[in-house]
Amino acid sequence: MSMRELVVLGTASQAPTRARNHNGYVLRWDDEVILFDPGEGTQRQLLHSTVTATDLTRICVTHFHGDHCLGLPGTIQRLSLDRVPHPVAVHFPAGGAEYFARLRHASSFYETAELTVEPITADGQRITLRCGTLEARRLRHPIETYGYRLVEPDGCRMLPEKLSAYNIAGPAVGELLRVGHLDVAGRRVTRDEVSVPRPGQRFAFVMDTGLCDGVYALAEHADLLVIESTFLESETALAAEVGHLTAAQAARVAAECGVRRLVLTHFSQRYPEPARFADEARRYFDGDLVIAEDLTIVPVPPRQVASAG
Ligand SMILES: [Zn+2]
C-alpha cells in the first residue's frame, strides 16, 4: 500500500509567529516527495518532521514572495550537503527565473546535487510523472503565481472472485488489463466483466490568490485541497485588494468543487485564535476540515471504492 499524505512544515503568511513557521508543505505520493513553497526555516522544520532532504524528489514554488521561497537557499544547499543521489526537479513561475537563480546560488557551497529546473511558462502546463500528471494553473496575485494539482488517472480494480470464476490467473491478468479482453475456453472475457472502476485520486495546492478560474480548476474534485485562507470574512475587501482569500471563500470553493478533505493554512498573524477559521469555514463546507498547524500530518483520504455492481 503506497503512502499518500501531506506533511505541514509551516503555516504563517507574511511573518512567522511563535507558534507558526513560514510556509512549507511536503506531499508524499507514491514515489514522489514534493516540497511546496519552502519559506524561511524549512530546513529546520524538516528536522522536526518525518521528512528528510534526501527524501525530496521535487520542489514546486507558487511565486516569489519571500514567505514562499526564502527557504530555497537552505534547502538546496542541504541537498548537496547530504549528497542526495537522485535528481530533484524544480518548478516555479518562469517570470521569476532571476529570483530563482539568486536563491539557488545565494551563498557559496559545494554543489553536488543535481537540480532539474523546469519553469512553468504557461497556464495549464502539465508535467507527466509516474504516479499521475502535475498541472500548473495561473492564479490572481500581484506577481506571477501558479497553483498546482496532481491528478492520478482513473483505473480499475480486478475482482479476484470473478477472475477465478473464469479461470484467469498469472500473466493472463496483466494481458487482460493491457488489452481489455481475453479469450478463455472459446469465450471472450472483457475487462469490465471482471473489474470495477478505480477513480484516480487528486491533490491540489492553492496559495496566494484572489478568487479566479484557476482556483476552481485546481480544486475540482480534489480528494485533498490545501488552500490559503489568509483572512476572515470581515476582511473580504482587503483580501480582494491584496490578492488573497478568506476562510469563507476557500470553504465555498471546496464545497462547490466537491472537495473531500480541506486544509486551510497561510494565516495572517492578526488572528491569534485558529478556531475562528474553523467556525467560518464550517458554515459553508461540511466535508473533512483541517485547520493546519505546523508539523500536522494529513493523510490523503482513502480512495472512494466503487462497488461491484
Ligand atoms: Zn504572496
Side-chain angles (χ1 to χ4, degrees), residues 63 65 67-68 141 208 244 266:
H63 67 300
H65 279 152
D67 51 335
H68 297 259
H141 201 53
D208 298 19
H244 281 295
H266 191 274

